[in-house]
Amino acid sequence: LGLPMTQFSKPSHIKTALHQSLDVLNEISDCTVLDYPNYPNIGDHLIWIGTIFYLNLQLKLRIRYVSSFTEFSADEMSRKAGKTPILLQGGGNLGDLWQPHQKFRESIISTYKDRPIFILPQTIYFQKDKNIKRVADIFNSHPNLTIFTRDNLSYDLAQTHFSDCRVIKSPDMFFQMIGTP
């Protein structure tokens, strides 16, 4: 984001930085949003709400299909959303700790190379180097993958390993909630 930390001392500055980093999403008008958090983690639900508020209220995007990883239907997505860009939920599950979410993300990225995919702001963590190399092969093979990272370590890791992807540092999607009553 290029701003000194003092620029982030006010919540409104964080929200502005979020909007600036997500500027590339202005290029789309319809989308699919995947990996709805259908589990009891309040933080992930707040990130989800921030995401939906941003897409609907800020960008005025038409969300044509939404699904958790457990309820995903390729046929239903195709029927409802066609070849719209895919946005994958942000949070802290990119890596080898939360395997169901990561496997789902890898499957989507491997399968849908015919459209842009955006991984919303994530923290990235891998316990094993062999896993990051395998994921890098999958991510780097997608012709139009954008990865938003929400911290410096994740950004540096993504820049190093996901060299054929667009990598953008961004605040968490929760910060869209700033100013919401």
Side-chain angles (χ1 to χ4, degrees), residues 120-176:
L120 295 173
Q122 278 278 353
T123 294
I124 303 171
Y125 179 76
F126 286 89
Q127 292 179 315
K128 298 180 181 172
D129 287 341
K130 69 178 183 174
N131 291 337
I132 194 165
K133 290 176 183 167
R134 183 185 55 74
V135 171
D137 288 343
I138 293 167
F139 284 14
N140 288 325
S141 71
H142 192 282
N144 193 355
L145 177 62
T146 300
I147 305 166
F148 294 96
T149 62
R150 61 184 192 174
D151 60 84
N152 290 333
L153 291 174
S154 297
Y155 179 78
D156 293 343
L157 190 144
Q159 286 282 87
T160 300
H161 295 281
F162 309 138
S163 56
D164 292 338
C165 304
R166 180 168 39 179
V167 177
I168 300 170
K169 197 183 322 179
S170 172
D172 193 281
M173 293 303 296
F174 165 77
F175 289 106
Q176 177 61 32

Side-chain angles (χ1 to χ4, degrees), residues 6 10 24 45 69-70 101 109 113 123 137:
T6 57
K10 292 185 179 180
V24 298
H45 285 276
F69 76 88
T70 58
H101 296 277
I109 291 167
K113 294 184 179 185
T123 294
D137 288 343

Side-chain angles (χ1 to χ4, degrees), residues 17-83:
L18 173 65
H19 292 185
Q20 289 171 348
S21 65
L22 297 174
D23 190 52
V24 298
L25 295 178
N26 284 320
E27 302 166 4
I28 62 177
S29 58
D30 292 58
C31 69
T32 294
V33 186
L34 299 178
D35 205 9
Y36 168 78
N38 65 348
Y39 47 87
N41 179 320
I42 191 71
D44 287 347
H45 285 276
L46 291 171
I47 290 168
W48 179 263
I49 292 168
T51 299
I52 299 306
F53 279 15
Y54 179 77
L55 298 175
N56 276 268
L57 302 176
Q58 185 69 31
L59 294 184
K60 311 252 187 274
L61 286 182
R62 181 173 166 209
I63 301 172
R64 297 180 55 184
Y65 178 74
V66 171
S67 177
S68 67
F69 76 88
T70 58
E71 297 167 348
F72 175 74
S73 165
D75 291 337
E76 188 175 348
M77 183 177 79
S78 178
R79 191 173 52 257
K80 290 183 175 181
K83 292 187 178 187

